[in-house]
Amino acid sequence: MKVLQTLSLYSAILSLAMLSVRPAAADEGMWTFDTFPAKIMYDHYGWAPDQSWLDHVRKSAVRLTGGCSASFVSSAGLIFTNHHCVASCLFDNSSAQADLLDNGFTAGRREDEKSCPGQQAEVVTAIADVTGTVQGAYRGMAGETLTRARDAAIAKIEADGCPDRKTTRCQVVTLFGGGQYKLYTYRIYSDVRLVWAPEDRAATFGGDPDNFNFPRYSLDASFLRAYEDGKPIRPSDHLTWTARAPKQDELTFVVGNPGATARLWTQSQFAFEREMRLPITVAILSELRGRLIAAMETSPEKQREGRDTLNGIENSLKVYIGRTKALNDPAFAERLAKGEADLRQRSADNVAIGDPWANVTGAVQAYRTVYLPYRFITPSSDLYGYARALVMAGKEKAKPNGERLPGYTDSALPLLEKQILDKRPLYPWLEKLQLSWSLSKAREYLGVDDADTQLLLGKESPEQLAERLVSQTRLSDPAYRRQLWEGGLQVIEASSDPLVQYALRLEPRQRALTRQVDEAYQGPLTVAGGKLAQARFAAYSDALYPDATFTLRISYGQVKGWTERGKSVPYATVMGGTFDRATGSAPFDLPAAFAAHRNAIDLAATYDFVTTNDIIGGNSGSPVVDRSGAVIGAAFDGNIHSLGGNYGYDPLLNRTVVVSTDAVQEALEKLYPAPALVAELKAR
Amino acid sequence: MKVLQTLSLYSAILSLAMLSVRPAAADEGMWTFDTFPAKIMYDHYGWAPDQSWLDHVRKSAVRLTGGCSASFVSSAGLIFTNHHCVASCLFDNSSAQADLLDNGFTAGRREDEKSCPGQQAEVVTAIADVTGTVQGAYRGMAGETLTRARDAAIAKIEADGCPDRKTTRCQVVTLFGGGQYKLYTYRIYSDVRLVWAPEDRAATFGGDPDNFNFPRYSLDASFLRAYEDGKPIRPSDHLTWTARAPKQDELTFVVGNPGATARLWTQSQFAFEREMRLPITVAILSELRGRLIAAMETSPEKQREGRDTLNGIENSLKVYIGRTKALNDPAFAERLAKGEADLRQRSADNVAIGDPWANVTGAVQAYRTVYLPYRFITPSSDLYGYARALVMAGKEKAKPNGERLPGYTDSALPLLEKQILDKRPLYPWLEKLQLSWSLSKAREYLGVDDADTQLLLGKESPEQLAERLVSQTRLSDPAYRRQLWEGGLQVIEASSDPLVQYALRLEPRQRALTRQVDEAYQGPLTVAGGKLAQARFAAYSDALYPDATFTLRISYGQVKGWTERGKSVPYATVMGGTFDRATGSAPFDLPAAFAAHRNAIDLAATYDFVTTNDIIGGNSGSPVVDRSGAVIGAAFDGNIHSLGGNYGYDPLLNRTVVVSTDAVQEALEKLYPAPALVAELKAR
């Protein structure tokens, strides 16, 4: 359920602002560490963590910039996360001769550990409230003027907060849709290496059909290590590794970075989602899925080269289809409507609030008219992504920090630089497939005679243009990317590379559309968001958690199955169940190591289990921690009901799916032996 | 916009019943010939056709069983229709050596005219009201008992009405969702041959991007000829061919067979459509589109072999996406809601009506629970379609006529036999692609552990199963199909053909699900439909037309452009416009004949034009007739606004797109010369 990575590729807009809320139900909530509801939890469960417990797990938590969560599990910088969070790294380190994704990987010695391109590990070291400064910078403003002033204030806070950009990163996070702004400071580790991963089939057993389902038989686990100056780092805190089975109803905490939720949206935002964004997204992504499936069938190389991308697409699609289902479910929709009605009613006499709901409706209305060009003006492909980032960075870097677009401020540039310059394999057929698909969808949704279609295509067909740009560009060469990055705008503009020139051609229009969106949508939303947060705090005091923002949160819950159409779903599976579920045909073919070591492994060992913790995409790899603070698993998925969790949590049905430490240790000892790693985990 | 063909392939349910109506707006209405609103038209336009005019065009109108409309245009059985209505025939007569679809076809002499597999021409000869008999047969019944009694009554009427099934066909048509039943008697011509078709690019210039759009530059026209006993037939009536440009605002009539509309549905039916059926349909068809696009890119043969299927999929998808947009448009949805509210209000004091809306809501609710298995239990592929039809026919033929399922009664069998036994090319790769796609979607929507998924797949993957069934079946051989058809159930059950055995395995479950749908949905809907029709007639008297049923209708309107976002769209294009619109790259590459004969053709000749006539998929190929009764074009498409026409007609925006006889004659004389054909058309 690693949504973020694929979202950034296939959706022009990562997150809308978040507006409107009700108090949390039992186990509901992705809480910030500074507002953990200890009293509520204590009243419900008779136990709650104290501050030192919270500090310890917070300091042990790791954010992976690829879109995942993780935790330190040794004093030598060992990181525990999901297999699907390192799949790109396995893939980038693979070749037709050595398929690490397919076969798995075990670093026998530290020096065999393999670099993960584009990956960075981040640990929160401080959280400060900067609401007054940011809101003060735009008070009384509107539209694009407001968003510019806000962004300038944020850029200054971030730059001032982290003068050392090699080892620290500052991010101002917008909570409650503009109701609060917090400065998160991270210690960053930009040298992350792969230590251990099982064979792909063991991690992805059941594939897309089983994704977001349970019972499950998946070893979705892996280990990384953070390095600095060529040596493993020594984190201040790490979680204790405990290989044991979970107990029914025991308390569990999930500590990680949920990517984005939309629980605080207003009715008009839900309507836009249901009526426009989701239908378009599901239709075009489904077609891309089909194109890729058929292209991969033509050769074993393409089968290998396209797999990581296909997994991402199928995961995203399942998410969007699940969300469509939730918003189209009359009972679910009614619940959302009642939530808003309640807040409106409680705010009716509060004249300071005004009618922010109407303001959001107006902003959404304006957004509808610009949505299609805004969405389709930016083609999809990794190579085009390089070209666009280079062009944008070239133009933005020439400005003072406070005037740059958010992704190009001093605090954002180091990670962008790493992502652009890190060497990674690219496959021309895959680039062409994605580029021609996205261009043909732009033409379909904007129309043949539309000016933006003509800007995108000229007289060429999507296929011709994609063929020409991908086959003639030099951007797959990291050295050439470095030359353009370091050369800056002048060198970029003088480049004869057709993809760079194409990015230059599109850039002014992309910028104009972003300005339009800021003026008519983001600006008004920011003002309304502040008012809605005010209404919410007045109505419900502080029993509130903000929508997810891919920043550190903690949720509490229990190990617990659920009831599905009258049948109870047990809370855990055992490793031996894999043999019963295997059919012999993909994606239900038995992993090779399981077949080879059937007699060695403990068939009764707990494999995967479910808890009531409230999570969402981005939480993948989050440690699941018990009362003692020990890690007993890594969250890797939600059940099918969790897909509606984007809009609201249902304690009866929403479940987090976890791979147990018991199963991981069994695998480390018997299936994909890594004795040094076991010793390191046991050393504590 | 030939929706019917593709619908029958990709959607398990062709039409739901039709319930609720308002009086028609100006130019709105697909009128049956026995209720043509001559007075309303006369009041509005100062002219209306008389009975002999109506009789003449009715007798000249032709229905093509492939899902299209057409007309006789000579005394020697010459039929005028669209190119896309004969694309399958061109395709079926093509080979890698002679690509008739690509190059077009002109029969120099009658003996060169080519048979169209599965095609049949039908002319209405009588319409009789059988409402009393049918309703009487099920009065007081409910559920599946009701649908059985209704179907038995219909089977008897049809069998009695057409004892000669070689040349006549009887069909009882359900109008107003069960409010009326009419017996249509057809003279049938089952030997239909291809006379002339332009090159594909001239007909499909602009391809999918321009489909359902205007201005348009498309020669979507062709000619067929009906034969009997090896000789061209002599129809009682035919339309006069007049090669001329249409005049702005002149009156036009479209005479043809609109396939299906849903204008009389209740709110709960629209909700089901918007919330469930359309989202699933768009998602899965989009994936199929992607799979096919990518597979076709792998070789020129597949490019050719897959094109007809791809065109059908893309056409359907545009229809479904347009419908999704219409139902998700708040203003459009409000109009539909108001229509129902008006009828409810007018019926409030009519105690005989009761609350059929609540009954429909209950039926839809029950349908929701069975919809997914009902939809996915029948895999897609032409070869599987043969197997299923053979198995079903084998079982049904053993029963008395009155007890058979509707598609297998004596009146339905001759066309089914023809469709099964006619020789046509099949491509194993395309069959596997469709079969594995549909099986993988069944697994996705039903779930891996579902009993129906297990019935469909056993232990095999969708790919393995499709590979095995398609590569081992003999059903692509017409002689083998004949052997099974003639041998009957015993021979079918004894067959070792794996696809036949597979169809036998699925059949009981398919039948059980159909019974469930009849019991919980179709039965209650039929009763409610009668009540709703009663309410409608009481509230609005007879200014009503029924939902479309792929039976003969007439609509009146005018040649007229429209206004789109403040810009006026002219009512016609000229042939010379093709050269301006051509980009050199597909699907906007100039047709070869246009390039070769640029100087010969009249660049100012009217090419395509739009009218306000109210049509829908199935109307493709319909003659567009002027006041004098002459044919001045063939309807081949609607504009993008016409897609919402499934639910409601908007006189300001809905338009029919027509290829003019002026352009067709220009093509016959200069682009794809057919002098004998021109002489035949001019002879009148």
Side-chain angles (χ1 to χ4, degrees):
Chain A
M1 51 184 290
K2 187 177 53 169
V3 169
L4 282 178
Q5 277 198 336
T6 46
L7 256 181
S8 64
L9 271 170
Y10 303 110
S11 166
I13 305 121
L14 257 174
S15 67
L16 302 170
M18 317 104 202
L19 316 160
S20 123
V21 78
R22 292 165 307 139
D27 296 1
E28 174 179 347
M30 303 167 184
W31 301 92
T32 52
F33 268 80
D34 48 352
T35 59
F36 182 79
K39 184 167 178 336
I40 296 173
M41 183 181 175
Y42 188 90
D43 289 348
H44 195 81
Y45 287 114
W47 187 85
D50 61 16
Q51 195 56 44
S52 71
W53 189 102
L54 288 169
D55 289 345
H56 172 64
V57 300
R58 176 175 59 74
K59 290 179 187 168
S60 305
V62 172
R63 180 168 80 169
L64 296 173
T65 46
C68 275
S69 300
S71 57
F72 287 125
V73 287
S74 90
S75 57
L78 190 66
I79 294 172
F80 178 42
T81 187
N82 292 150
H83 175 274
H84 78 257
C85 295
V86 308
S88 293
C89 179
L90 287 159
F91 180 72
D92 292 345
N93 280 292
S94 290
S95 65
Q97 292 69 47
D99 190 333
L100 302 194
L101 190 55
D102 216 18
N103 304 320
F105 174 75
T106 302
R109 304 165 307 172
R110 293 258 161 106
E111 48 271 45
D112 298 332
E113 295 175 358
K114 286 187 184 289
S115 271
C116 290
Q119 191 59 277
Q120 180 167 296
E122 306 178 331
V123 180
V124 182
T125 53
I127 302 173
D129 194 322
V130 294
T131 307
T133 313
V134 179
Q135 286 187 344
Y138 65 72
R139 189 157 294 131
M141 298 178 182
E144 196 213 344
T145 317
L146 181 158
T147 62
R148 280 199 195 210
R150 180 197 60 194
D151 295 346
I154 289 173
K156 181 166 176 3
I157 293 167
E158 290 178 349
D160 292 351
C162 292
D164 171 11
R165 294 201 298 274
K166 274 217 152 54
T167 64
T168 62
R169 180 178 177 194
C170 278
Q171 265 190 312
V172 171
V173 180
T174 303
L175 300 175
F176 295 102
Q180 289 179 354
Y181 294 88
K182 300 269 172 109
L183 171 64
Y184 279 65
T185 307
Y186 294 89
R187 180 67 165 87
I188 57 176
Y189 304 100
S190 54
D191 181 357
V192 176
R193 304 186 195 174
L194 186 67
V195 177
W196 179 89
E199 64 184 304
D200 187 57
R201 177 48 74 231
T204 66
F205 184 76
D208 178 65
D210 267 1
N211 194 15
F212 291 109
N213 283 306
F214 194 81
R216 207 53 177 282
Y217 305 84
S218 164
L219 193 64
D220 198 345
S222 70
F223 291 93
L224 300 168
R225 192 184 306 279
Y227 279 78
E228 201 162 52
D229 303 325
K231 290 195 292 277
I233 66 148
R234 321 258 339 150
S236 74
D237 291 67
H238 71 270
L239 298 178
T240 303
W241 177 267
T242 311
R244 70 165 175 89
K247 291 186 237 8
Q248 169 136 14
D249 294 337
E250 78 164 297
L251 289 175
T252 49
F253 299 83
V254 171
V255 181
N257 302 273
T261 51
R263 295 185 184 173
L264 309 185
W265 283 9
T266 70
Q267 287 291 299
S268 52
Q269 290 176 298
F270 291 131
F272 173 73
E273 191 82 348
R274 188 184 63 241
E275 291 162 7
M276 206 158 172
R277 196 156 66 143
L278 283 172
I280 293 173
T281 305
V282 170
I284 67 175
L285 263 192
S286 292
E287 184 183 326
L288 178 60
R289 176 193 200 178
R291 289 189 185 215
L292 192 49
I293 285 173
M296 285 166 65
E297 275 174 3
T298 61
S299 79
E301 292 72 41
K302 289 184 177 171
Q303 197 65 251
R304 187 184 69 76
E305 292 162 2
R307 198 190 317 165
D308 191 43
T309 304
L310 181 61
N311 287 346
I313 292 166
E314 292 192 328
N315 187 68
S316 296
L317 253 178
K318 216 155 191 173
V319 168
Y320 295 129
I321 288 171
R323 289 182 187 176
T324 302
K325 225 175 132 185
L327 289 182
N328 277 326
D329 174 359
F332 192 90
E334 197 190 327
R335 236 183 82 199
L336 297 178
K338 277 191 178 157
E340 176 166 318
D342 184 67
L343 180 58
R344 277 176 184 254
Q345 193 230 306
R346 286 166 190 259
S347 311
D349 297 332
N350 190 339
V351 288
I353 304 298
D355 191 353
W357 295 274
N359 298 336
V360 173
T361 300
V364 170
Q365 204 53 41
Y367 187 50
R368 280 180 189 247
T369 66
V370 72
Y371 176 69
L372 288 179
Y374 181 58
R375 171 165 194 151
F376 285 106
I377 197 64
T378 304
S380 292
S381 112
D382 287 353
L383 283 170
Y384 170 75
Y386 285 134
R388 177 165 192 268
L390 285 164
V391 165
M392 289 297 293
K395 298 210 166 180
E396 293 297 310
K397 280 197 289 186
K399 300 175 187 170
N401 186 39
E403 290 174 22
R404 295 185 206 153
L405 288 173
Y408 303 91
T409 55
D410 285 341
S411 61
L413 284 176
L415 181 59
L416 182 64
E417 176 176 0
K418 175 173 167 57
Q419 285 166 339
I420 291 177
L421 302 187
D422 275 6
K423 181 178 151 80
R424 47 176 300 227
L426 290 152
Y427 302 101
W429 70 270
L430 191 54
E431 296 292 315
K432 286 176 201 166
L433 187 151
Q434 295 193 65
L435 194 53
S436 65
W437 160 78
S438 65
L439 291 168
S440 78
K441 294 306 100 183
R443 182 176 67 183
E444 180 173 329
Y445 282 87
L446 299 175
V448 175
D449 299 315
D450 180 83
D452 287 320
T453 301
Q454 285 165 0
L455 176 68
L456 283 164
L457 287 177
K459 288 250 171 189
E460 287 173 292
S461 70
E463 297 73 27
Q464 288 171 324
L465 181 58
E467 172 67 35
R468 179 171 67 80
L469 293 177
V470 173
S471 61
Q472 294 179 13
T473 185
R474 293 168 55 201
L475 287 173
S476 54
D477 174 8
Y480 186 58
R481 299 200 296 267
R482 176 174 291 279
Q483 193 183 317
L484 296 176
W485 175 265
E486 289 172 353
L489 188 58
Q490 228 179 343
V491 173
I492 289 166
E493 284 181 337
S495 164
S496 63
D497 190 285
L499 200 51
V500 173
Q501 287 302 318
Y502 185 64
L504 281 165
R505 177 169 114 198
L506 299 184
E507 183 270 339
R509 177 64 181 153
Q510 290 166 342
R511 201 179 278 270
L513 284 165
T514 302
R515 271 198 303 270
Q516 258 180 274
V517 169
D518 281 350
E519 176 67 22
Y521 182 60
Q522 296 296 356
L525 228 53
T526 302
V527 176
K531 289 287 177 193
L532 285 164
Q534 208 179 319
R536 220 169 281 128
F537 293 132
Y540 307 118
S541 75
D542 57 356
L544 299 176
Y545 62 96
D547 260 324
T549 47
F550 199 44
T551 50
L552 195 63
R553 304 291 178 92
I554 177 167
S555 90
Y556 63 92
Q558 287 179 285
V559 175
K560 203 188 274 288
W562 77 97
T563 302
E564 184 87 48
R565 291 182 233 166
K567 277 170 70 178
S568 68
V569 181
Y571 72 89
T573 59
V574 295
M575 292 185 85
T578 311
F579 297 96
D580 304 325
R581 194 165 181 79
T583 61
S585 56
F588 294 95
D589 43 332
L590 197 63
F594 277 68
H597 303 289
R598 181 170 188 153
N599 296 327
I601 56 177
D602 177 5
L603 299 178
T606 295
Y607 202 168
D608 299 332
F609 62 98
V610 287
T611 73
T612 61
N613 292 85
D614 186 7
I615 66 166
I616 200 101
N619 262 122
S620 283
S622 295
V624 177
V625 176
D626 67 9
R627 268 172 71 153
S628 79
V631 57
I632 60 168
F636 70 94
D637 206 356
N639 68 351
I640 201 78
H641 305 290
S642 75
L643 294 173
N646 190 49
Y647 311 110
Y649 172 86
D650 183 342
L652 292 178
L653 295 173
N654 278 44
R655 291 295 179 273
T656 290
V657 184
V658 187
V659 56
S660 76
T661 46
D662 212 12
V664 175
Q665 185 145 330
E666 194 69 10
L668 290 171
E669 289 175 345
K670 297 170 187 165
L671 291 171
Y672 315 96
L677 191 52
V678 173
E680 183 176 353
L681 288 167
K682 286 186 172 169
R684 299 184 175 176
Chain B
M1 52 182 290
K2 188 176 51 167
V3 168
L4 281 179
Q5 278 198 335
T6 47
L7 255 181
S8 64
L9 271 170
Y10 302 110
S11 166
I13 305 122
L14 256 174
S15 67
L16 301 172
M18 317 104 203
L19 317 159
S20 124
V21 78
R22 292 164 308 140
D27 295 1
E28 175 178 348
M30 304 167 185
W31 302 92
T32 52
F33 269 80
D34 47 352
T35 59
F36 183 77
K39 185 170 178 330
I40 296 173
M41 184 183 174
Y42 188 90
D43 289 348
H44 194 81
Y45 287 115
W47 187 86
D50 61 17
Q51 194 56 46
S52 71
W53 189 102
L54 288 169
D55 289 344
H56 172 65
V57 301
R58 176 175 59 77
K59 290 178 186 169
S60 306
V62 174
R63 180 169 80 168
L64 296 173
T65 45
C68 275
S69 300
S71 56
F72 287 126
V73 287
S74 92
S75 57
L78 190 66
I79 295 171
F80 179 41
T81 188
N82 292 149
H83 175 274
H84 78 258
C85 295
V86 308
S88 292
C89 179
L90 287 160
F91 179 74
D92 291 344
N93 280 293
S94 290
S95 63
Q97 292 70 45
D99 189 335
L100 303 194
L101 189 55
D102 215 18
N103 304 320
F105 173 75
T106 302
R109 305 163 306 170
R110 294 258 162 105
E111 48 271 45
D112 299 331
E113 296 175 359
K114 288 187 183 290
S115 272
C116 290
Q119 191 60 278
Q120 178 166 297
E122 306 177 329
V123 181
V124 182
T125 53
I127 303 173
D129 194 323
V130 293
T131 307
T133 314
V134 179
Q135 286 186 345
Y138 65 72
R139 188 157 295 131
M141 299 179 181
E144 196 212 344
T145 317
L146 181 156
T147 62
R148 280 196 194 211
R150 180 196 60 195
D151 296 346
I154 288 173
K156 181 167 176 5
I157 294 168
E158 290 178 349
D160 292 351
C162 292
D164 172 11
R165 295 201 297 273
K166 274 216 150 55
T167 63
T168 61
R169 180 178 178 193
C170 278
Q171 266 191 310
V172 171
V173 180
T174 304
L175 301 175
F176 296 102
Q180 288 178 354
Y181 294 88
K182 301 267 172 111
L183 171 63
Y184 279 64
T185 308
Y186 295 90
R187 180 69 165 86
I188 56 175
Y189 303 100
S190 55
D191 181 357
V192 175
R193 304 186 194 173
L194 186 68
V195 178
W196 179 90
E199 64 186 303
D200 186 58
R201 177 49 72 230
T204 65
F205 184 76
D208 178 66
D210 266 0
N211 193 16
F212 292 107
N213 283 305
F214 195 81
R216 208 51 179 282
Y217 303 86
S218 163
L219 193 64
D220 198 346
S222 69
F223 292 94
L224 299 168
R225 193 184 305 280
Y227 279 77
E228 202 162 50
D229 302 326
K231 289 195 293 275
I233 68 148
R234 322 250 351 142
S236 73
D237 290 67
H238 71 269
L239 298 178
T240 304
W241 177 266
T242 311
R244 70 164 176 88
K247 293 189 239 356
Q248 170 135 16
D249 293 337
E250 78 164 297
L251 288 175
T252 49
F253 299 83
V254 171
V255 180
N257 302 274
T261 50
R263 295 184 186 173
L264 309 184
W265 283 8
T266 69
Q267 287 291 299
S268 51
Q269 290 176 300
F270 291 131
F272 173 73
E273 192 82 348
R274 190 183 63 241
E275 292 162 7
M276 207 157 169
R277 196 158 64 144
L278 284 172
I280 292 172
T281 305
V282 170
I284 68 175
L285 263 191
S286 293
E287 184 184 324
L288 179 60
R289 175 193 201 178
R291 288 188 186 215
L292 191 49
I293 286 173
M296 285 167 65
E297 275 174 5
T298 60
S299 80
E301 292 73 39
K302 289 186 176 172
Q303 197 66 249
R304 187 183 70 76
E305 293 163 1
R307 198 190 317 164
D308 192 43
T309 305
L310 181 61
N311 288 346
I313 293 165
E314 291 191 331
N315 187 69
S316 295
L317 253 179
K318 215 155 191 171
V319 168
Y320 296 128
I321 288 172
R323 290 183 186 175
T324 302
K325 224 175 132 184
L327 290 183
N328 278 327
D329 174 0
F332 192 90
E334 196 188 329
R335 235 183 83 199
L336 297 178
K338 277 190 179 157
E340 176 167 318
D342 184 67
L343 180 58
R344 277 175 183 254
Q345 194 229 306
R346 287 166 189 258
S347 311
D349 298 332
N350 191 339
V351 289
I353 304 298
D355 190 353
W357 296 274
N359 297 336
V360 174
T361 301
V364 170
Q365 202 54 40
Y367 188 50
R368 281 181 189 244
T369 65
V370 72
Y371 176 69
L372 289 179
Y374 182 58
R375 172 168 193 150
F376 286 105
I377 197 65
T378 305
S380 292
S381 112
D382 288 353
L383 283 170
Y384 171 76
Y386 285 133
R388 177 165 192 268
L390 286 164
V391 167
M392 290 296 292
K395 298 209 167 182
E396 293 298 308
K397 280 196 289 186
K399 302 176 187 169
N401 186 40
E403 291 172 22
R404 295 185 205 154
L405 289 174
Y408 304 91
T409 56
D410 285 341
S411 60
L413 283 177
L415 182 58
L416 182 64
E417 176 176 0
K418 177 174 165 58
Q419 285 166 339
I420 291 178
L421 301 187
D422 275 6
K423 182 179 149 84
R424 48 174 304 228
L426 289 152
Y427 304 100
W429 70 271
L430 191 54
E431 295 292 314
K432 285 176 203 167
L433 187 150
Q434 295 193 65
L435 195 52
S436 66
W437 160 79
S438 66
L439 291 168
S440 78
K441 295 305 98 182
R443 182 177 66 184
E444 180 172 328
Y445 282 87
L446 299 175
V448 175
D449 299 313
D450 180 83
D452 288 320
T453 300
Q454 284 165 2
L455 176 67
L456 284 163
L457 288 177
K459 288 250 172 188
E460 287 173 293
S461 71
E463 298 73 27
Q464 287 171 326
L465 180 57
E467 172 68 36
R468 179 170 68 79
L469 294 177
V470 173
S471 60
Q472 294 179 13
T473 185
R474 293 167 54 200
L475 288 172
S476 54
D477 175 9
Y480 186 59
R481 299 199 294 267
R482 176 173 292 278
Q483 192 182 318
L484 296 176
W485 176 264
E486 290 173 352
L489 188 57
Q490 227 179 341
V491 173
I492 289 166
E493 285 181 335
S495 163
S496 63
D497 190 284
L499 199 51
V500 173
Q501 287 302 319
Y502 186 64
L504 282 165
R505 177 168 114 199
L506 299 184
E507 184 269 338
R509 176 65 180 153
Q510 290 166 343
R511 200 178 279 271
L513 284 164
T514 302
R515 271 199 303 270
Q516 258 181 274
V517 168
D518 281 349
E519 175 68 23
Y521 182 61
Q522 297 294 355
L525 229 52
T526 302
V527 177
K531 290 286 177 192
L532 285 164
Q534 209 179 317
R536 218 170 280 131
F537 293 133
Y540 308 118
S541 76
D542 58 355
L544 299 177
Y545 62 96
D547 259 324
T549 48
F550 198 46
T551 50
L552 195 63
R553 306 291 178 91
I554 176 165
S555 89
Y556 63 92
Q558 288 179 285
V559 174
K560 202 188 272 292
W562 77 96
T563 302
E564 183 86 47
R565 289 183 234 167
K567 277 170 70 177
S568 68
V569 181
Y571 72 89
T573 59
V574 294
M575 290 186 84
T578 313
F579 298 97
D580 304 324
R581 193 164 181 79
T583 61
S585 56
F588 294 96
D589 42 332
L590 198 62
F594 276 68
H597 303 289
R598 180 169 189 152
N599 295 328
I601 57 177
D602 176 4
L603 299 177
T606 294
Y607 202 168
D608 299 331
F609 63 97
V610 287
T611 73
T612 61
N613 293 87
D614 186 8
I615 64 167
I616 201 100
N619 262 122
S620 284
S622 295
V624 178
V625 177
D626 68 10
R627 270 173 66 153
S628 79
V631 58
I632 60 168
F636 70 93
D637 206 358
N639 69 352
I640 200 78
H641 305 291
S642 75
L643 294 173
N646 188 50
Y647 310 109
Y649 172 86
D650 183 343
L652 293 177
L653 295 173
N654 278 44
R655 290 297 179 271
T656 289
V657 183
V658 187
V659 57
S660 77
T661 48
D662 212 12
V664 174
Q665 185 145 329
E666 195 69 11
L668 289 171
E669 290 175 344
K670 298 169 188 167
L671 291 170
Y672 314 96
L677 191 51
V678 173
E680 183 176 354
L681 288 168
K682 286 187 173 168
R684 295 185 180 179

